[in-house]
Amino acid sequence: MSERPDTSTHPGDWSDDMLWALAAVDTAVLLVDPDGALVHANEAARLLAMRLGDGSTPAQLLARVPDAAWDAAVIDGRWSGDLVVDEPPIVLEARLYCGRGEHAGRRFATFTDVSARSAREGELQQRHDELQRTYRRLAGAQEQLLQSEKMASIGQLAAGVAHEINNPIGYVHSNLGTLQEYTGALMALIEGYANALGADDPASCRDAIRGMRERLDFDFISGDLPQLLSESREGIERVTKIVQDLKDFSRVGRDEAMRPSDLERGLESTLNIVWNDLKYKVRVEKHYGELPLVECHASEINQVLMNLLINAGQSIAERGTISLATGCEDDEAWISIADSGCGIAEESLQKIFDPFYTTKPIGRGTGLGLAICYSIVAKHHGRIEVSSRLGVGTTFRVVLPVRQPAGVADAQA
Ligand SMILES: Nc1ncnc2c1ncn2[C@@H]1O[C@H](COP(=O)(O)OP(=O)(O)O)[C@@H](O)[C@H]1O
Ligand SMILES: [Mg+2]
């Protein structure tokens, strides 16, 4: 029995063969009695204990297992977990086994040095955290880019929008001037009537009143007044609408859930914003089909439509047509914007979605418009199709699924 491991405690009734086998394995194995005291430690356990410090014994190794772990092992039959040793830095994977039934009272523990695995995991975790941070930074940058292109296009449009607002404000202002005159005339007339009523012989005032009505042009005023008022109301409504459209447009879409939205309304209000840039040279045709509500970030889709409308307008040098069409096939809704502009050369077609690709002079083009359109539409699980002929015109078609794939909209909410 000289081969038998030298143990400080009695190995209980574990068989010699069993102890011999344990001596041969690389895993540290500690046999434990039902009270948790060490019964036997194999050679690997003794070597491992020594690595934990000068004179450290298997019993000390066993003492590192928290009582709660043993309690759990008694209930479940087994327990495993990592034990972190600070000095020297070692991570041990401990597995505890408690026998049941005919093996009740049997307990043993194994220990494996998993420092390398644990270090690798730590490193992976660190890399993962770094990637996550980078991802968040990129997402933030992308959001900023989106917002800045949006603001740049609003900047470009500001003059046009100002004009669109100034125009109705101008005639509402002039209408107010006229209304003031009319009010003066009407008050004078009412005063005339009041005087006549108070006169001794009201009938004798009839001619004077008639003359006054004619002089003040009462018939004209009574015809013009309702028109002035409704025209002014329309003007104010138009300004309110443009301001609302601008507000919708400049909203940052982030953190907002995708909602079923009316794409045609989005197209109309976007057209409203860019209208001043288009109205002198472009005739707009509309061929709207029946569109269901489409699940999307409406303000982002409006940004796509705005980019496409501006590009279409810029492609037309003198005079031309922009055709807007919508439709729905299967579970996809589409909007197409076709212009009779300069067209795009075959070899340029594959570059137009690249960020910063532009054929326009500085200040007019950023080259970001279509790149942003592309990423917004891709985020919506849709696509943008282009067809173009040089000198004839270009058609962009935005195709979006009516409903986002399951989970996407909820996840965003
Ligand atoms: N409707 C269009 N007609 C002709 N060319 C277009 C049209 N839309 C886009 N392009 C081409 O694609 C390029 C990239 O467009 P975009 O990404 O919107 O950037 P930008 O308009 O700032 O140049 C434009 O510079 C232009 O050459
Ligand atoms: Mg553009």
Side-chain angles (χ1 to χ4, degrees):
M1 277 294 130
S2 61
E3 289 299 313
R4 241 183 75 171
D6 173 26
T7 54
S8 43
T9 35
H10 191 269
D13 56 354
W14 295 82
S15 76
D16 283 351
D17 287 344
M18 170 77 187
L19 300 182
W20 169 79
L22 285 186
V25 299
D26 292 335
T27 307
V29 182
L30 303 179
L31 304 181
V32 183
D33 73 12
D35 299 325
L38 181 65
V39 173
H40 171 79
N42 71 350
E43 184 61 18
R46 223 189 318 262
L47 291 175
L48 182 60
M50 272 174 351
R51 282 182 47 213
L52 295 185
D54 253 0
S56 182
T57 63
Q60 284 164 318
L61 176 59
L62 185 64
R64 290 183 182 273
V65 178
D67 290 343
W70 278 116
D71 295 343
V74 169
I75 294 167
D76 297 333
R78 56 176 58 207
W79 177 90
S80 70
D82 287 352
L83 303 178
V84 182
V85 180
D86 290 334
E87 199 45 55
I90 293 180
V91 181
L92 298 176
E93 184 193 60
R95 290 174 182 272
L96 313 181
Y97 301 86
C98 291
R100 292 171 169 176
E102 59 178 303
H103 299 296
R106 294 281 192 207
R107 289 189 186 192
F108 69 98
T110 67
F111 296 86
T112 318
D113 181 355
V114 291
S115 307
R117 185 199 77 194
S118 162
R120 251 195 332 271
E121 275 171 7
E123 199 179 318
L124 273 179
Q125 183 64 44
Q126 203 177 338
R127 285 209 193 143
H128 176 261
D129 292 348
E130 253 165 48
L131 274 176
Q132 197 108 51
R133 272 196 300 277
T134 310
Y135 171 77
R136 272 200 294 274
R137 266 208 307 275
L138 268 179
Q142 144 116 355
E143 189 70 40
Q144 245 169 29
L145 204 62
L146 222 96
Q147 191 62 7
S148 65
E149 159 72 17
K150 207 190 270 187
M151 287 308 161
S153 20
I154 289 192
Q156 273 179 25
L157 291 171
V161 171
H163 185 263
E164 282 298 286
I165 290 178
N166 241 348
N167 211 21
I169 294 275
Y171 64 71
V172 169
H173 185 253
S174 119
N175 286 355
L176 277 177
T178 314
L179 274 176
Q180 198 169 16
E181 278 171 30
Y182 288 179
T183 311
L186 291 176
M187 293 309 272
L189 203 53
I190 289 171
E191 188 127 332
Y193 277 110
N195 289 341
L197 270 180
D200 294 337
D201 178 12
S204 66
C205 302
R206 210 174 276 151
D207 284 346
I209 296 256
R210 243 184 234 129
M212 203 171 172
R213 275 179 70 125
E214 259 164 49
R215 206 165 9 90
L216 295 174
D217 227 349
F218 178 78
D219 290 341
F220 180 80
I221 291 180
S222 65
D224 196 32
L225 201 57
Q227 210 176 322
L228 268 188
L229 286 173
S230 82
E231 203 181 87
S232 304
R233 180 180 289 275
E234 262 167 44
I236 295 293
E237 276 164 7
R238 176 143 177 78
V239 171
T240 311
K241 179 86 178 62
I242 292 175
V243 170
Q244 183 57 45
D245 289 345
L246 268 181
K247 248 163 74 184
D248 281 355
F249 189 83
S250 56
R251 198 172 42 217
V252 191
R254 195 179 183 175
D255 291 342
E256 231 182 85
M258 293 202 190
R259 277 186 236 293
S261 313
D262 183 346
L263 291 188
E264 246 160 54
R265 206 185 105 192
L267 183 59
E268 283 288 315
S269 68
T270 309
L271 186 61
N272 206 14
I273 295 179
V274 297
W275 184 235
N276 192 65
D277 279 17
L278 301 179
K279 65 183 174 193
Y280 298 114
K281 58 177 183 181
V282 172
R283 194 165 56 85
V284 175
E285 285 176 5
K286 297 174 187 174
H287 308 279
Y288 293 166
E290 292 273 297
L291 273 193
L293 296 182
V294 173
E295 200 169 9
C296 65
H297 285 303
S299 74
E300 291 187 12
I301 297 301
N302 287 352
Q303 191 181 2
V304 171
L305 300 175
M306 175 154 167
N307 276 323
L308 297 180
L309 282 170
I310 293 177
N311 281 349
Q314 288 175 336
S315 77
I316 294 169
E318 301 275 321
R319 259 171 201 291
T321 311
I322 294 181
S323 289
L324 307 178
T326 63
C328 188
E329 269 152 42
D330 299 326
D331 291 331
E332 291 182 329
W334 56 265
I335 294 181
S336 78
I337 296 175
D339 63 64
S340 63
C342 59
I344 304 169
E346 179 88 40
E347 63 274 18
S348 310
L349 261 184
Q350 53 198 330
K351 290 186 247 164
I352 57 173
F353 291 102
D354 293 349
F356 306 112
Y357 173 80
T358 180
T359 53
K360 295 167 193 172
I362 294 171
R364 194 129 207 260
T366 59
L368 284 175
L370 285 178
I372 287 171
C373 288
Y374 188 91
S375 79
I376 290 177
V377 171
K379 194 173 101 183
H380 285 78
H381 304 93
R383 58 185 187 278
I384 302 184
E385 300 162 353
V386 205
S387 60
S388 186
R389 274 183 59 200
L390 213 51
V392 178
T394 307
T395 301
F396 281 89
R397 204 166 112 115
V398 178
V399 186
L400 295 174
V402 173
R403 282 197 58 78
Q404 291 294 307
V408 172
D410 300 342
Q412 302 233 341

